[in-house]
Amino acid sequence: MNCNRILVHYAEVALKGRNRRDFESRLKRNIKIRLQSEGLDWEVHRGRDRITVHPRDPNADALERALEAVGETAGVATFAPAVFFPRDALYAGGDGPDVDAIESAALAQAAEPAKGRSFAVRVNRADKGFPLTSEAFARRLGARIIETTSWQHVDLRRPDRAIHVDIYPEGVYVYHDRRRGPGGLPVFSGGHVLSLLSGGMDSPVAAWMMAKRGCRVDFLHMTATHLRPEDAGNNLVARIAAHLSRFTLRSRLLLVPYTHFDLALTGQDSQGYDMILFRRFMTRLAEHVAANLHASALVSGDSLGQVASQTLANMVSTSQAGTVPILRPLVGLDKHEIIERARDIGTFDMGTEQYKDCCALLSRNPQTKSRHTRLEALETRLFPDYDGLIESSLADALMLTFETGRLTGVEPALSSLSDAG
């Protein structure tokens, strides 16, 4: 039986108080944006505790693209292609609801090919005017499935297939292919952050996690060379940012060459603090950019103790280089957990590509402990014109704009930052 609705449920949004309607409306708009990015101008409606997508004569490809788009939208807890029976049609006969129609839809869901042996029927009777109780209707449907299909074993705890019948005031939804979304809160509901993005595994996951918390996310990356505008879109980190924009919806990426910093450090005795000095430089530069973009915090992919620059002492020294908060959503995760999340969001393969990242600055014997005061004194000696170093780096930077997976613009960063400010 063909699906005529996509039924979307949220979890954390439902816990909101007086501003819950704002979160629901934002989630509805974000789903609409993602569908439109797939060329699907389908209606999206907000109900109580749910959102519904109304396909317009979908073919199988369009429906699957729509499901993928919905499944990448932060704030969505679960979603499913469903058969919907409007209340008016169900009660058209005048003698109560057409239970046989609902039963036929449930049997059709059970008849589809499946792996496994056990099933369950779960009825949610939110409309208390429906004549059958949830338990009675579930028993009736379960008996019919055993009678007319190859399913013979009922398992109410961990079934191989669960057939859902949701009975709401507006009608009845029947479905079985319920999928998990990312959960969390809708993007653009939780403030604005600037994420420090590398070509590795960790920082893309950190950026995704902040989008899942409702943040608008822009990116900053330090490149090993000066990039031409026509080549910028093929940069590995640009491709990562493009992919992440499927979740963030709209993001800007600043590609800033670190050659000016590298040249300033060349030939000088950094006492093994190369990487931590660079991270402090990047923090100050990012703070300057964040002020122009009106971002309230920076985001880093640091995981405590993972590498020399991510010891607690060095993370503290990095944070003390600026005044803007640095959020570290991966700080308590181990590498295995980060890799699994990278696989889930589709950045794992890109994170394993060969790429000359800022880690090339790492000295042979990096310092694992640092103090802000000592580093400040070292910076004063090594970089007498620190502000000029930031300005010259930004003068050679590019800003790329991405919308739902697509590169939509490349321009010099200084003009873009001036416009943003």
Side-chain angles (χ1 to χ4, degrees):
M1 187 171 291
N2 292 331
C3 146
N4 60 353
R5 291 290 188 275
I6 298 176
L7 181 62
V8 178
H9 287 105
Y10 41 82
E12 194 167 351
V13 169
L15 302 177
K16 297 298 178 181
R18 294 181 180 178
N19 59 349
R20 171 175 167 174
R21 181 182 295 270
D22 296 334
F23 283 87
E24 292 173 336
S25 296
R26 182 73 258 180
L27 179 56
K28 172 188 168 183
R29 288 198 297 273
N30 290 355
I31 291 173
K32 183 75 171 178
I33 289 170
R34 283 297 281 114
L35 291 173
Q36 289 175 337
S37 74
E38 297 294 333
L40 303 172
D41 190 21
W42 294 356
E43 291 184 16
V44 181
H45 293 267
R46 179 174 63 87
R48 182 172 178 80
D49 298 328
R50 59 196 172 278
I51 290 174
T52 55
V53 178
H54 298 219
R56 293 181 176 175
D57 300 322
N59 55 44
D61 176 69
L63 179 60
E64 195 54 43
R65 284 189 290 117
L67 290 168
E68 183 177 9
V70 171
E72 292 176 343
T73 305
V76 172
T78 63
F79 61 103
V83 178
F84 174 66
F85 296 94
R87 180 181 179 86
D88 291 346
L90 281 176
Y91 286 82
D95 297 324
D98 186 355
V99 176
D100 291 340
I102 302 171
E103 181 179 291
S104 296
L107 291 173
Q109 299 276 344
E112 292 184 17
K115 296 179 181 180
R117 302 178 60 187
S118 63
F119 78 98
V121 178
R122 308 202 190 284
V123 176
N124 171 28
R125 190 180 65 134
D127 177 11
K128 301 308 178 184
F130 193 82
L132 295 173
T133 66
S134 297
E135 183 178 357
F137 199 21
R139 288 182 178 277
R140 169 175 170 167
L141 294 176
R144 290 288 290 139
I145 288 171
I146 290 175
E147 178 184 339
T148 61
T149 72
S150 60
W151 295 97
Q152 296 298 311
H153 302 284
V154 175
D155 184 344
L156 298 180
R157 291 189 175 184
R158 300 184 64 181
D160 296 309
R161 171 170 294 179
I163 298 167
H164 297 263
V165 179
D166 290 354
I167 305 169
Y168 292 120
E170 74 271 18
V172 177
Y173 300 85
V174 182
Y175 57 96
H176 78 272
D177 183 16
R178 187 166 69 170
R179 311 180 189 186
R180 288 190 177 276
L185 300 171
V187 172
F188 305 127
S189 68
H192 186 181
V193 298
L194 178 64
S195 184
L196 307 178
L197 191 62
S198 74
M201 199 73 64
D202 304 340
S203 58
V205 175
W208 174 82
M209 290 179 71
M210 295 311 300
K212 182 182 171 183
R213 298 311 307 155
C215 288
R216 175 181 180 179
V217 182
D218 286 320
F219 306 108
L220 184 146
H221 172 68
M222 306 294 289
T223 64
T225 59
H226 293 66
L227 296 176
R228 298 183 303 173
E230 58 268 29
D231 299 328
N234 294 322
N235 176 271
L236 172 62
V237 175
R239 289 190 283 116
I240 292 174
H243 180 79
L244 288 173
S245 71
R246 295 173 63 89
F247 306 99
T248 64
L249 303 184
R250 185 180 189 276
S251 289
R252 292 165 290 188
L253 165 67
L254 270 82
L255 295 174
V256 185
Y258 66 73
T259 50
H260 294 279
F261 177 88
D262 201 10
L263 288 171
L265 195 61
T266 300
Q268 302 206 62
D269 180 15
S270 62
Q271 302 174 19
Y273 290 109
D274 307 38
M275 179 53 74
I276 191 65
L277 288 171
F278 172 73
R279 290 174 70 88
R280 283 164 63 89
F281 170 73
M282 183 166 56
T283 297
R284 293 186 176 110
L285 186 145
E287 186 174 66
H288 179 86
V289 172
N292 282 272
L293 297 181
H294 307 294
S296 302
L298 307 181
V299 178
S300 172
D302 293 342
S303 172
L304 184 60
Q306 184 170 250
V307 294
S309 63
Q310 295 174 21
T311 63
L312 183 58
N314 283 344
M315 284 196 286
V316 170
S317 294
T318 299
S319 297
Q320 289 176 324
T323 59
V324 173
I326 301 178
L327 309 179
R328 296 178 170 91
L330 309 186
V331 70
L333 301 184
D334 61 33
K335 198 65 177 182
H336 175 74
E337 292 170 308
I338 295 169
I339 287 173
E340 287 304 305
R341 296 199 184 190
R343 292 184 190 278
D344 290 341
I345 66 175
T347 59
F348 174 81
D349 289 339
M350 288 183 285
T352 60
E353 292 183 26
Q354 292 294 319
Y355 183 71
K356 186 179 180 182
D357 218 326
C358 57
C359 294
L361 290 169
L362 189 61
S363 60
R364 188 169 296 178
N365 296 300
Q367 296 282 357
T368 58
K369 294 182 180 180
S370 61
R371 286 181 296 146
H372 173 62
T373 52
R374 182 171 184 176
L375 291 171
E376 269 194 324
L378 190 58
E379 287 163 341
T380 300
R381 176 173 64 82
L382 297 175
F383 312 114
D385 185 13
Y386 208 101
D387 291 340
L389 194 57
I390 290 177
E391 291 175 6
S392 58
S393 297
L394 288 175
D396 293 331
L398 295 174
M399 180 179 284
L400 286 61
T401 303
F402 301 93
E403 295 187 15
T404 56
R406 298 171 179 83
L407 174 65
T408 58
V410 182
E411 56 189 325
L414 279 184
S415 61
S416 303
L417 290 174
S418 177
D419 293 341

